[in-house]
């Protein structure tokens, strides 16, 4: 069983448009409303493929209630912590060529007492978990090391911890000894403070995260695939998508697939790539199921 923690979840509305023209009235070709947030998406992807998962998250206002209803409708087991603020809403505009424009709200502030309640819920669930996955942005009101604080508690209890976040929170998670980090290219470049011009730069940046204290690093590179850097060495892989529809949640699906396949070695990287590519081929932030996966399209490079 895999426990996910999303401190800043959202309602995600994805709108498909023929073209995005500023200042004009645009007719939507289609629209989708999905539960959102990185950890939420990891749970959704896992459950869509028969892997047990529990999603721990804060919830506030009518939006928070709607988020919980959407998750339960998909069969996701939810442990919600009530907060005073209102759960945020995000908007994604998707064009036919795969271009995606995202408008993300900052999310509600979270106080220390609310965060402590989340920590308590997670520690209870972690006792029977294979992994705890800490995902997404840190909400206003909490320090940059919020995930790192939880990571240290879980590591002290012998629990494997995966973290997918960005900026100072990503650096703090590495310093806290996260078992696995899953940045994308931009997040990796930001945390090491240098542009990543080629694959060697990506590998060097991932090795720096490992030098700070992280175990394994899986860097998602969009259409260029992903890189796995761990104690065994470096592996890269790709999985092309013939008709991209939305990149929202693709990295989350990749992480879910990697964890579901054992989180180690080329086989896990290949599974993660298959899940991530399948998510790109679906509208909005839909998560792929077994029928969507095209494992034969994955190539793992030495």
């Amino acid at each position: 069983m895999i426990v996910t923690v999303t401190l800043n979840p959202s309602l995600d509305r994805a709108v498909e448009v023929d073209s995005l023209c500023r200042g004009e009235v645009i007719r939507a070709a289609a629209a989708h409303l999905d539960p959102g947030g990185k950890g939420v998406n990891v749970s959704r992807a896992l459950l869509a493929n028969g892997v047990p998962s529990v999603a721990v998250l804060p919830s506030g206002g009518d939006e928070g209630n709607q988020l919980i209803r959407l998750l339960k409708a998909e069969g996701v087991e939810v442990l919600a912590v009530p907060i005073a603020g209102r759960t945020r809403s995000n908007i994604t505009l998707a064009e036919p060529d795969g271009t995606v424009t995202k408008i993300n709200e900052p999310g509600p502030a979270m106080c220390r007492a609310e965060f402590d309640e989340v920590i308590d819920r997670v520690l209870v669930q972690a006792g029977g978990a294979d992994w705890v996955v800490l995902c997404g942005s840190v909400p206003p009101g909490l320090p940059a090391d919020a995930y790192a604080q939880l990571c240290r508690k879980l590591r002290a209890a012998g629990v494997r911890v995966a973290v997918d976040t960005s900026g100072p929170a990503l650096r703090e998670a590495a310093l806290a000894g996260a078992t696995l980090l899953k940045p994308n290219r931009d997040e990796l470049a930001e945390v090491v403070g240098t542009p990543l011009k080629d694959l060697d730069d990506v590998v060097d940046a991932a090795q720096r995260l490992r030098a700070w204290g992280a175990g394994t690093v899986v860097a998602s590179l969009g259409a260029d695939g992903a890189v796995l850097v761990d104690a065994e060495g470096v592996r890269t892989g790709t999985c092309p998508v013939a008709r991209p529809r939305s990149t929202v949640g693709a990295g989350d699906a990749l992480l879910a697939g990697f964890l579901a396949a054992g989180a180690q070695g080329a086989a896990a990287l290949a599974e993660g790539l298959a899940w991530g590519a399948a998510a790109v081929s679906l509208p909005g932030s839909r998560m792929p199921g077994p029928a969507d996966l095209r494992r034969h399209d994955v190539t793992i490079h030495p």
Side-chain angles (χ1 to χ4, degrees), residues 14 25 30 54 91 101 201 214 250 298:
V25 175
V54 175
I91 299 173
T101 303
D201 289 344
V298 177

Side-chain angles (χ1 to χ4, degrees), residues 268-292:
L269 178 61
E271 189 72 356
L273 285 164
W275 289 35
V280 173
S281 69
L282 298 172
S285 57
R286 278 182 52 193
M287 291 293 106
D292 302 306

Side-chain angles (χ1 to χ4, degrees), residues 61-75:
D62 291 339
E63 292 85 353
N65 293 333
Q66 187 173 17
L67 172 63
I68 293 170
R69 288 196 300 270
L70 289 171
L71 286 170
K72 289 185 175 180
E74 292 188 15

Side-chain angles (χ1 to χ4, degrees), residues 35-283:
K38 286 179 175 292
V40 165
N41 288 335
V42 171
S43 281
R44 295 171 63 218
L46 290 168
L47 290 170
N49 290 274
V51 180
S53 180
V54 175
V56 181
L57 51 87
S59 171
D62 291 339
E63 292 85 353
N65 293 333
Q66 187 173 17
L67 172 63
I68 293 170
R69 288 196 300 270
L70 289 171
L71 286 170
K72 289 185 175 180
E74 292 188 15
V76 178
E77 183 178 351
V78 182
L79 290 179
V81 175
I83 60 172
R86 174 185 60 81
T87 297
R88 64 179 177 154
S89 295
N90 296 333
I91 299 173
T92 298
L93 302 174
E95 298 176 72
D97 64 356
T99 301
V100 172
T101 303
K102 294 193 68 178
I103 304 172
N104 289 351
E105 294 183 2
M110 179 180 283
C111 70
R112 184 70 214 192
E114 292 167 341
F115 181 49
D116 286 342
E117 179 64 21
V118 170
I119 291 176
D120 290 344
R121 295 285 186 96
V122 174
L123 292 177
V124 169
Q125 291 297 313
D130 297 307
W131 284 87
V132 173
V133 186
L134 313 177
C135 290
S137 58
V138 176
L142 294 184
D145 70 342
Y147 282 129
Q149 292 178 35
L150 185 48
C151 181
R152 291 188 182 95
K153 291 179 182 292
L154 291 165
R155 295 292 291 147
V159 179
R160 294 183 294 177
V161 184
V163 182
D164 183 358
T165 187
S166 60
L170 177 59
R171 177 184 173 87
E172 293 293 336
L175 294 171
T179 316
L180 167 65
L181 295 179
K182 207 295 294 172
N184 63 31
R185 189 201 310 264
D186 292 340
E187 292 163 349
L188 189 55
E190 180 188 13
V191 78
V192 300
T194 184
L196 307 181
K197 299 178 181 178
D198 54 30
L199 188 59
D200 287 341
D201 289 344
V202 172
V203 172
D204 288 345
Q207 293 287 24
R208 193 181 306 185
L209 294 187
R210 283 178 34 79
W212 290 345
T216 296
V217 178
V218 177
S220 55
L221 307 177
D224 295 325
V227 175
L228 167 63
V229 182
D230 59 15
E232 303 301 319
V234 178
R235 299 171 182 84
T236 66
T238 56
C239 187
V241 178
R243 184 172 177 256
R245 297 191 67 181
S246 174
T247 58
V248 179
D252 310 327
L254 186 154
L255 176 57
F258 185 77
L259 294 173
Q264 185 175 5
L269 178 61
E271 189 72 356
L273 285 164
W275 289 35
V280 173
S281 69
L282 298 172

